[in-house]
Amino acid sequence: MSTPSSKSPSDLQRLGGIFTKALLGIAIVLFGLEFFIHRHGVVSAEESFMFPALYGFLAFLFIVQVGKWLRLMIMRKEDYYD
Amino acid sequence: MISHMPPGLIMILAAFLLPVIPHVWRQIYMLGAIALSAYGLFLGAGTHFVWTMLGLDLILYQADALSLPFAIIFHLAAALNVIYSWHDRDWQQHCASLSYAGAAIAALHAGDLVSLFVWWEATAVTSVFLILASGTERARKAAMRYLLFQVTSGVLLLAGAAILASTSGDIRFTKMDLGDTATWLIFIAFGIKAAFPFLNGWLQDAYPEATPTGTVALSAFTTKLAIYALARSFPGTDILIWIGAAMTALPVFFAVIENDLRRVLAFSLNNQLGFMVVAVGIGTELALNGAVAHAFVHIIYKALLFMSMGAVLHQVGTIKASELGGLYKKMPFTMVCCIIGAMSISAFPLFSGFVAKSLTMSALGDAGIIWAYFVLLFASAGVLEHSGIKIPYFAFFAHDSKIETGEAPIGMRVAMGIAAFLCVGIGVFPSLLYSILPYAVDYHPYDAGHVTSQMQLLIFAMLAFVVLVRLKLYPPEIPSVVLNSDWFYRRLAPMVGLPLLRMVMLVWSGLLQQIRGLVNAIWDRLDRIMHSPLAGPTVSGRAVLVQAGLLTLLLLIAYAAAG
């Protein structure tokens, strides 16, 4: 992503594109399966429609966001302890 | 006779000969020593070697269903480490790692707390050389801090054992009820090595400072020995569920922003230990199976991840995310192995993490501890973030760092290949793993509902990553240090302690000055008296005066005694 032009995407960008499409493909399959497979949950809420997907998605966003806030508090220069 | 020797001890003894054996033969010799030690496991369950000393029965070789899976994986990890460091001609490191693995294996077979203490400390003093071997001042300081924590853990263990010996006389290394001073001391001793919250600083501080091969060895033994000790002594101790849950969740946030990829793995290691600690805290048969299975597969995939990062460090000379990227073309084999390790730790179906973690999650559900279940589910998304995505992404993809390099030495690749093979093998055939767990297992991880639940969690979390990267909201890697619990003793303690110390010294020197003034004044007065005596001859010199005084005192005491 450092030197690509919009006309000729770099190998990394191409890989990123393939990866995203594959993920979306699997996500759609999982969405479809949700109509056929009964998932057992520890609590009833866990059995609600696409619950693990939502939980995973939100948990990920939350972790990254808290990480960003944490940076403001506990990130120091590399030579902090030297 | 050799089969009755405690497993592991033979590895420690074998390590003494390493300096005189030439390179390559040395590696073969080490594999032989590990095989010989593993041969001792065939003796099976029971007490095989007891040494009576100073009235204590030291049980040096005791085996049961709990020690066996740990013993198998410790031997395997030791062998993998020998293969991984095949290129390394530094005999000191081989000496350290072989005796370190040996001490950890011997500790698994200790049947009493005193024997455990001996091996517990032996793991500390052998492993510290793996950190020192880096040869930098930074590593030396980290090694000293590491040693301080490890030895403290041993001293607490010994103190607990001593109290038990003097009160009940029972020092067997067995199940205990947390309550009195002795059991608390032992609990904290185990907690230090298991990297409980706020006792964990040494792990993230020291492990990433070791050599590329040293960190692989370190990642396997000390912490899992602590998990074994907790599983043996404190299964079903409720507080462990709280401690473990905190361990799974907290390191996740630190790992997001850490720049050193081996330190990210150290945070990840801490998070994984949390899963095992929770399982020990639940204490049911299913949960303890979960803890042991998790420790077993974790040692392999964590070693694989550390091996892949060690390979990058060995080839490139840095492991900072901000300096790496785009290595997938230069080190494709390492990249594939790293991704297999990443998928295993993230618990993708068909990988080893899935079949192990499922046991713990099911045990939590069965026990009805819902809050912990959701914390661990959240932590699972965290594992995916730092170990599943961040590690391979920043090392092998992200952006083209234009680094020119090639694949790591053949030994490193073979070891990574074996570990990757095991990650997939155990994931596809979990019955192999289940057959060596402490309790009989009737568990089937691959039911449709369970697999789709896990896939939904992982795939949509990955989609969140893609969204963040595409919107440029994912935090970029910045050369930095992330403060951890070691800050308390590396910065806060000196900040508070040094002024305090200075104040104490100031008061002390002031006091000394006062006393010196007082003494001088007394002498001056005496001198004046001596030079102008009220009666009799002049006494010459202070020494004579002191002697006269002492003789008078002696005379008085003699009179008093005679009277």
Side-chain angles (χ1 to χ4, degrees):
Chain A
M1 286 174 208
S2 55
T3 56
S5 68
S6 54
K7 283 174 192 164
S8 59
S10 70
D11 289 352
L12 275 169
Q13 279 179 324
R14 258 200 305 277
L15 264 181
I18 295 168
F19 181 71
T20 308
K21 279 177 198 146
L23 268 188
L24 282 172
I26 301 171
I28 290 165
V29 171
L30 287 171
F31 181 80
L33 284 175
E34 191 72 352
F35 294 99
F36 302 103
I37 293 173
H38 174 67
R39 289 182 293 99
H40 310 285
V42 171
V43 289
S44 56
E46 211 188 339
E47 293 176 8
S48 54
F49 190 73
M50 296 295 277
F51 177 86
L54 191 68
Y55 195 85
F57 191 84
L58 294 179
F60 197 99
L61 294 183
F62 177 73
I63 290 163
V64 171
Q65 191 52 50
V66 172
K68 283 182 180 173
W69 289 329
L70 213 55
R71 249 189 184 165
L72 302 174
M73 288 185 282
I74 58 165
M75 192 176 78
R76 296 288 184 277
K77 284 184 181 159
E78 268 190 304
D79 59 356
Y80 177 74
Y81 283 121
D82 296 335
Chain B
M1 174 60 205
I2 209 156
S3 63
H4 281 70
M5 248 173 108
L9 182 60
I10 198 148
M11 287 158 66
I12 299 173
L13 296 175
F16 283 98
L17 277 183
L18 288 182
V20 296
I21 302 174
H23 182 62
V24 176
W25 286 109
R26 189 187 293 135
Q27 308 301 112
I28 296 165
Y29 167 80
M30 285 197 288
L31 286 178
I34 294 165
L36 208 58
S37 168
Y39 173 70
L41 300 180
F42 283 103
L43 221 52
T47 302
H48 305 300
F49 194 102
V50 181
W51 185 28
T52 306
M53 192 190 72
L54 301 172
L56 288 174
D57 281 339
L58 300 182
I59 305 164
L60 293 175
Y61 185 3
Q62 176 183 282
D64 60 14
L66 182 63
S67 67
L68 181 67
F70 281 94
I72 294 173
I73 192 61
F74 276 20
H75 280 97
L76 193 69
L80 271 179
N81 198 51
V82 171
I83 300 169
Y84 184 72
S85 56
W86 202 269
H87 64 279
D88 202 341
R89 291 170 176 273
D90 176 11
W91 64 263
Q92 286 102 328
Q93 271 198 76
H94 292 306
C95 241
S97 59
L98 188 67
S99 48
Y100 171 40
I105 291 167
L108 295 176
H109 297 96
D112 66 278
L113 293 169
V114 173
S115 310
L116 179 70
F117 161 76
V118 171
W119 301 126
W120 197 259
E121 291 291 44
T123 58
V125 294
T126 48
S127 59
V128 73
F129 288 99
L130 296 170
I131 305 163
L132 286 170
S134 281
T136 61
E137 179 59 16
R138 203 183 155 92
R140 193 189 64 78
K141 285 182 177 168
M144 290 304 114
R145 289 190 292 269
Y146 168 84
L147 198 60
L148 200 68
F149 267 81
Q150 299 299 311
V151 171
T152 303
S153 165
V155 171
L156 292 175
L157 173 60
L158 186 65
I163 295 174
L164 282 183
S166 65
T167 52
S168 66
D170 181 8
I171 54 159
R172 279 176 306 141
F173 178 25
T174 183
K175 189 175 180 336
M176 302 172 201
D177 292 319
L178 192 58
D180 54 11
T181 314
T183 47
W184 269 105
L185 285 171
I186 294 168
F187 185 75
I188 294 168
F190 293 171
I192 291 176
K193 288 215 185 200
F196 281 2
F198 297 105
L199 301 176
N200 64 337
W202 61 269
L203 200 166
Q204 289 88 15
D205 177 19
Y207 279 17
E209 299 301 335
T211 60
T213 53
T215 309
V216 177
L218 286 168
S219 78
F221 303 113
T222 300
T223 49
K224 260 61 72 186
L225 177 59
I227 295 295
Y228 164 79
L230 285 170
R232 178 165 292 286
S233 295
F234 299 104
T237 305
D238 284 342
I239 193 175
L240 285 174
I241 299 175
W242 292 89
I243 294 172
M247 286 167 75
T248 60
L250 296 178
V252 161
F253 302 110
F254 291 77
V256 181
I257 52 174
E258 176 59 56
N259 188 38
D260 183 316
L261 291 182
R262 290 202 301 170
R263 195 156 274 127
V264 172
L265 286 177
F267 279 116
S268 160
L269 173 51
N270 214 166
N271 147 290
Q272 292 287 297
L273 294 169
F275 281 89
M276 299 169 217
V277 169
V278 167
V280 172
I282 304 167
T284 60
E285 289 190 357
L286 181 63
L288 288 174
N289 272 345
V292 176
H294 204 144
F296 194 97
V297 297
H298 163 85
I299 287 177
I300 303 172
Y301 59 62
K302 183 56 74 181
L304 177 55
L305 287 166
F306 269 121
M307 282 195 261
S308 63
M309 290 302 105
V312 170
L313 177 61
H314 183 266
Q315 292 304 104
V316 179
T318 181
I319 198 61
K320 288 177 183 157
S322 53
E323 295 169 21
L324 293 171
L327 289 176
Y328 74 102
K329 274 187 181 167
K330 311 286 176 7
M331 304 177 75
F333 182 80
T334 309
M335 180 267 290
V336 169
C337 289
C338 179
I339 288 179
I340 290 175
M343 290 180 80
S344 300
I345 196 172
S346 308
F348 272 90
L350 300 180
F351 291 86
S352 59
F354 179 74
V355 300
K357 209 197 281 181
S358 301
L359 293 166
T360 303
M361 295 305 278
S362 296
L364 263 179
D366 289 354
I369 311 168
I370 307 301
W371 69 267
Y373 177 82
F374 280 100
V375 170
L376 263 59
L377 208 57
F378 165 78
S380 301
V383 178
L384 175 84
E385 199 288 324
H386 54 70
S387 290
I389 295 176
K390 180 169 176 169
I391 294 288
Y393 178 71
F394 281 107
F396 299 105
F397 305 102
H399 65 275
D400 189 1
S401 59
K402 307 263 190 273
I403 294 170
E404 286 304 323
T405 185
E407 282 286 8
I410 183 74
M412 285 186 159
R413 276 179 283 157
V414 170
M416 285 192 282
I418 296 171
F421 176 78
L422 288 171
C423 284
V424 179
I426 294 171
V428 176
F429 303 108
S431 54
L432 292 175
L433 171 65
Y434 291 170
S435 67
I436 56 164
L437 295 181
Y439 301 100
V441 183
D442 180 26
Y443 186 80
H444 306 282
Y446 289 115
D447 76 79
H450 189 193
V451 171
T452 48
S453 288
Q454 182 69 2
M455 284 300 283
Q456 276 191 25
L457 182 88
L458 296 173
I459 295 297
F460 280 81
M462 288 171 88
L463 276 175
F465 170 73
V466 170
V467 169
L468 288 173
V469 168
R470 298 221 164 229
L471 295 177
K472 301 202 186 312
L473 289 173
Y474 193 82
E477 288 311 297
I478 303 172
S480 58
V481 166
V482 175
L483 304 185
N484 189 21
S485 61
D486 55 345
W487 178 81
F488 290 101
Y489 53 87
R490 291 175 73 180
R491 273 293 171 271
L492 184 65
M495 250 156 51
V496 179
L498 280 182
L500 261 178
L501 199 67
R502 265 191 218 112
M503 211 165 73
V504 170
M505 294 310 286
L506 205 71
V507 171
W508 181 243
S509 66
L511 207 65
L512 279 182
Q513 220 166 359
Q514 291 294 325
I515 293 170
R516 211 170 293 132
L518 195 69
V519 170
N520 284 342
I522 291 171
W523 280 124
D524 286 350
R525 186 120 186 108
L526 279 174
D527 281 349
R528 230 172 292 141
I529 292 170
M530 285 186 298
H531 285 117
S532 52
L534 296 173
T538 308
V539 183
S540 61
R542 291 173 175 181
V544 177
L545 185 72
V546 170
Q547 282 177 33
L550 283 175
L551 283 172
T552 313
L553 192 69
L554 207 64
L555 201 66
L556 286 174
I557 292 170
Y559 271 126

